Amino acid sequence: MPRNLYVTLPVKDLDRSVDFFEALGFSFNPQFTSENGAALVINDNTSVMLVAEAFFSTLSKVPITDPRKATEALFSLSLDSRDEVDALVRKAIAAGATEGHDPEDLGFMYSWAFVDLDGHQWGVFHMDASQMPAQ
C-alpha cells in the first residue's frame, strides 16, 4: 500500500457540510460515509473525512479548535486552470462560504481562497510550472 495522508476535519453539521461540498461539485464515498462522518472525494487517491464534532471529540484527547479564532491548518487544492479556480471559489461563496483572500496572480501561479461553513480555510490554485521564474 502506498503512503498516503488522511485528513479528518470536524464539522458542526455533517449534512450541511455534505450539501455545501456537493454544491461545489464534489462527491462522497458511500463506503466511508455514516451518521458520524463522510469521505469527501478529492481524487482517486485522496479524500478528506468530514466528521461530526461529537464523534470527532472521541478521536482526540484535546479540545477541538475553533478555526474562526485560531488557524488549525490551511488546505490547498490544485486545479487545472485559472478558470476552474475562479469557478470553484465562486461556487463556494454562492453556497455560503466567505472569501479567504483576494485572487493573487504571481504569473506562474494563480490562487484564491474560501473559508467553508465551519471556518476551515481552503486555498485553491493553478500553477503553470513552465512559467516559474529561473532560480
Side-chain angles (χ1 to χ4, degrees), residues 29-43:
N29 183 338
Q31 278 186 297
F32 300 103
T33 298
S34 70
E35 67 278 356
N36 292 321
L40 170 66
V41 176
I42 303 299
N43 61 38

Side-chain angles (χ1 to χ4, degrees), residues 34-89:
S34 70
E35 67 278 356
N36 292 321
L40 170 66
V41 176
I42 303 299
N43 61 38
D44 290 342
N45 299 311
T46 308
S47 294
V48 174
M49 283 302 298
L50 304 180
V51 177
E53 283 186 348
F55 184 75
F56 188 94
S57 65
T58 69
L59 304 175
S60 176
K61 294 181 180 183
V62 298
I64 297 171
T65 299
D66 181 347
R68 295 184 193 286
K69 296 180 181 177
T71 301
E72 61 179 346
L74 300 173
F75 303 96
S76 298
L77 182 64
S78 63
L79 297 178
D80 289 332
S81 71
R82 293 170 56 116
D83 289 341
E84 286 185 42
V85 169
D86 289 345
L88 183 63
V89 174

